[in-house]
Amino acid sequence: MVDILGGRHLVTRKGAAVEAEAALQNKVVALYFAAARCGPSRDFTQLLCDFYTALVAEARRPAPFEVVFVSADDSSQEMLNFMRELHGTWLALPFHDPYRHSLNQLIHAATFSPCLHFLFQAIWWKQSSCLQNHLKASLGRSWWN
């Protein structure tokens, strides 16, 4: 379980609540910071969705990887619409969770949207070579360059 999300509830794109500890146990977690109004976020979200879908489809159940969306949207409706329109079946911090705001200030405010951070036992990693290779194949270039 990733300690940074311990004790939290997450939501699915259908609005169902799940306990973070149960959903993320023994998984590598990627925190995904993005907003619907941001063009690069919308472009990257589709690539991330394709990567996530392929990775989860090939993994043994339960898949050892999960994305948790941390919205930088202006409203809960904007967040839910973005999740329903473009996201994979990943989870999200609820819009009204004060921790979502704190994480956005701590991490997202210092970077550009979109931003993907990988968590391994509460150690933060900003990139993944596997994801970079997938993006290079999809885009013909690295997303980070």
Side-chain angles (χ1 to χ4, degrees):
M1 171 57 211
V2 179
D3 294 337
I4 196 167
L5 295 171
R8 298 264 167 223
H9 283 90
L10 303 174
V11 294
T12 67
R13 67 181 176 180
K14 293 181 180 181
V18 296
E19 290 185 27
E21 290 176 15
L24 305 177
Q25 186 175 13
N26 299 320
K27 293 185 179 186
V28 172
V29 176
L31 294 180
Y32 179 46
F33 297 83
R37 67 187 174 280
C38 173
S41 288
R42 296 180 71 79
D43 293 342
F44 184 77
T45 298
Q46 186 59 56
L47 292 171
L48 180 60
C49 183
D50 293 345
F51 170 77
Y52 175 87
T53 301
L55 183 68
V56 170
E58 293 180 20
R60 289 185 191 170
R61 302 282 179 222
F65 176 68
E66 189 60 63
V67 173
V68 175
F69 176 51
V70 183
S71 174
D73 292 306
D74 293 327
S75 71
S76 60
Q77 192 59 51
E78 186 179 28
M79 175 185 152
L80 288 174
N81 289 344
F82 186 37
M83 289 175 67
R84 290 178 182 142
E85 179 186 353
L86 292 175
H87 286 208
T89 57
W90 56 68
L91 303 169
L93 273 170
F95 185 82
H96 296 291
D97 186 331
Y99 195 55
R100 180 193 67 84
H101 181 70
S102 297
L103 283 174
N104 268 310
Q105 285 187 321
L106 177 69
I107 297 166
H108 188 248
T111 62
F112 294 101
S113 191
C115 184
L116 189 67
H117 285 266
F118 287 83
L119 306 175
F120 303 92
Q121 300 296 330
I123 298 172
W124 296 66
W125 296 89
K126 192 166 180 177
Q127 308 179 33
S128 162
S129 60
C130 180
L131 179 59
Q132 283 182 326
N133 291 338
H134 178 79
L135 294 175
K136 281 182 185 178
S138 298
L139 295 171
R141 62 179 170 79
S142 172
W143 184 264
W144 288 273
N145 291 336

